Amino acid sequence: MSNATDGDGADSLDSLDSLNSLIMALPKAELHVHLEGSIVPELALKLAARRGVALPGAERGVEGLREAYRFASFRDFLKVYIALSNTLQQAEDFSDAVFGIAEGLAAQQVRWVEMTFTPMTHVVQGVDPDAMLAGLADGRRRALEQLGIEFAWVFDVVRSLPEQGPQTLELALRARDQGVVALGVGGPEGPQWSVVPLAGVFERAHAEGLKSVPHAGEQHGPPSLRETLDLLAPARIGHGVRCLEDPELTAELADRGIPLEVCPSSNVALGVVPSFTAHPLPQLLAAGVELSLASDDPPLFGTTLTEEYRRCVSAFGWGPEQVLKIAAAAVRHSFMPEDRKRALLAAQRSVAQAHASLP
Ligand SMILES: [Zn+2]
């Protein structure tokens, strides 16, 4: 295959087609995606109708809901996010949400997903924790059996509600044999929301063998990352893109090999960066920071995982080698067992060789 940056127009188009088909065909891992933020409008309407939940714009059907998804501010985003969360009430709702999301991921050849879920958002609304965990487990089992996609869970704590930390950890430990691999921190980020009150919970999570994958360095810059590195011993960091505001911090992330989960369209939608082409992903790679590409809340940010790859190809001129390298990074940074990693990496290489004449 010719390189996208040389040859005449027809060659370039061939290259793009070939890159698109490589992106679609590569078996992939997705490491940063939220359950509640992955519910596409069609699935949301089904879940909302079952429980009589009002969704913004839903009186105009899928189109109206789709419009509401194209939020204008973080506040609008939260409104839709909370409404989506409220559609999940009984075990079958959680199961159907997981399975519906899995169908969308399987169509993109995602084979392994570490999905963030915020259990206390539902528990404080009166959802029975046992029904919630049973529903997640059922959806996960159906996704594996019927679609060949495996879910691991990151149970996360809302940063502004640290008092929910201990119960989140308790639920995470209770659901360990249902695929919980890590504890996370999400929600609003800013100087007023320190992770100091969560340090003890994360210490206990580590002692129990859970990994730490907090969001940091997204809405708030280097101080949030500094505190996260010092107090939460992260195995990976969600976003982290604002490390570049502090060269020492960036060097530390690179030296310690702490990978970032980079979600460019999310960063654009939430105003962390002005545009996709202005996203600092290339600078992070140039600085030696390990990273994978992820979709965060895909339907809310008008994207999918494969779309993130396509946008990187278009914005940063990636060729097949770069696409494969980033797809492999997600597998290497994942918490899947080592033998499974080796198998998925080998499968990626063979698909890439077939598609793009890679050595
Ligand atoms: Zn996120």
Side-chain angles (χ1 to χ4, degrees):
M1 194 199 95
S2 63
N3 188 294
T5 55
D6 64 25
D8 58 22
D11 274 357
S12 298
L13 275 181
D14 282 351
S15 302
L16 268 184
D17 278 353
S18 176
L19 269 174
N20 276 337
S21 90
L22 172 66
I23 287 166
M24 283 311 292
L26 272 177
K28 285 174 280 292
E30 158 68 279
L31 306 183
H32 189 124
V33 64
H34 297 257
L35 183 146
E36 297 89 338
S38 293
I39 300 174
V40 296
E42 293 79 359
L43 179 60
L45 285 177
K46 186 178 124 186
L47 294 167
R50 184 189 281 167
R51 301 291 166 217
V53 171
L55 294 172
E59 64 284 355
R60 286 181 294 113
V62 170
E63 239 350 279
L65 193 52
R66 205 164 275 148
E67 218 164 274
Y69 274 31
R70 284 194 286 270
F71 56 89
S73 67
F74 191 67
R75 183 188 281 267
D76 294 332
F77 164 71
L78 284 181
K79 221 172 14 187
V80 176
Y81 197 92
I82 290 165
L84 287 174
S85 296
N86 290 341
T87 64
L88 306 174
Q89 298 178 13
Q90 311 270 341
E92 65 174 327
D93 308 334
F94 289 93
S95 175
D96 288 350
V98 172
F99 190 76
I101 293 165
E103 287 180 312
L105 291 169
Q108 301 175 72
Q109 298 301 324
V110 173
R111 299 285 166 77
W112 173 275
V113 54
E114 288 171 18
M115 180 160 277
T116 296
F117 174 70
T118 316
M120 290 308 295
T121 301
H122 306 282
V123 172
V124 298
Q125 293 293 327
V127 170
D128 171 24
D130 290 330
M132 176 180 76
L133 296 181
L136 293 179
D138 188 59
R140 177 174 181 258
R141 178 189 56 74
R142 287 160 63 206
L144 183 61
E145 285 175 7
Q146 295 177 41
L147 303 166
I149 172 168
E150 185 153 8
F151 277 67
W153 301 108
V154 178
F155 277 14
D156 82 337
V157 186
V158 177
R159 189 182 289 263
S160 54
L161 301 168
E163 65 278 11
Q164 295 179 348
Q167 209 178 337
T168 305
L169 174 59
E170 191 256 313
L171 289 165
L173 293 175
R174 215 199 293 177
R176 279 182 86 160
D177 62 351
Q178 296 159 24
V180 176
V181 290
L183 199 63
V185 181
E189 198 189 351
Q192 66 275 48
W193 293 300
S194 163
V195 293
V196 167
L198 287 170
V201 169
F202 272 76
E203 211 169 296
R204 291 217 305 284
H206 273 124
E208 293 283 355
L210 288 178
K211 308 281 189 188
S212 158
V213 285
H215 288 58
E218 176 198 14
Q219 297 154 55
H220 191 214
S224 148
L225 279 159
R226 182 70 270 154
E227 182 182 76
T228 297
L229 287 170
D230 291 346
L231 296 174
L232 304 186
R236 295 192 309 256
I237 290 175
H239 300 291
V241 294
R242 290 185 60 185
C243 68
L244 287 167
E245 292 167 26
D246 179 343
E248 273 181 37
L249 195 57
T250 308
E252 182 178 337
L253 287 171
D255 291 346
R256 292 174 62 184
I258 298 173
L260 305 183
E261 303 147 4
V262 176
C263 313
S265 292
S266 160
N267 294 157
V268 175
L270 294 178
V272 178
V273 299
S275 68
F276 204 105
T277 45
H279 195 281
L281 192 153
Q283 289 92 297
L284 291 165
L285 287 175
V289 175
E290 289 275 345
L291 62 88
S292 63
L293 200 54
S295 60
D296 209 4
D297 300 300
L300 297 176
F301 300 138
T303 193
T304 59
L305 182 59
T306 49
E307 185 60 23
E308 291 302 284
Y309 279 87
R310 275 192 289 274
R311 288 175 188 176
C312 284
V313 163
S314 150
F316 310 134
W318 285 3
E321 295 86 357
Q322 193 64 28
V323 167
L324 176 62
K325 192 175 151 201
I326 295 293
V331 178
R332 286 191 288 103
H333 303 164
S334 77
F335 303 134
M336 74 176 81
E338 286 303 319
D339 57 335
R340 303 270 305 285
K341 275 190 192 179
R342 278 194 296 276
L344 191 46
L345 288 169
Q348 287 184 331
R349 272 195 303 276
S350 79
V351 167
Q353 279 160 0
H355 267 77
S357 313
L358 286 173

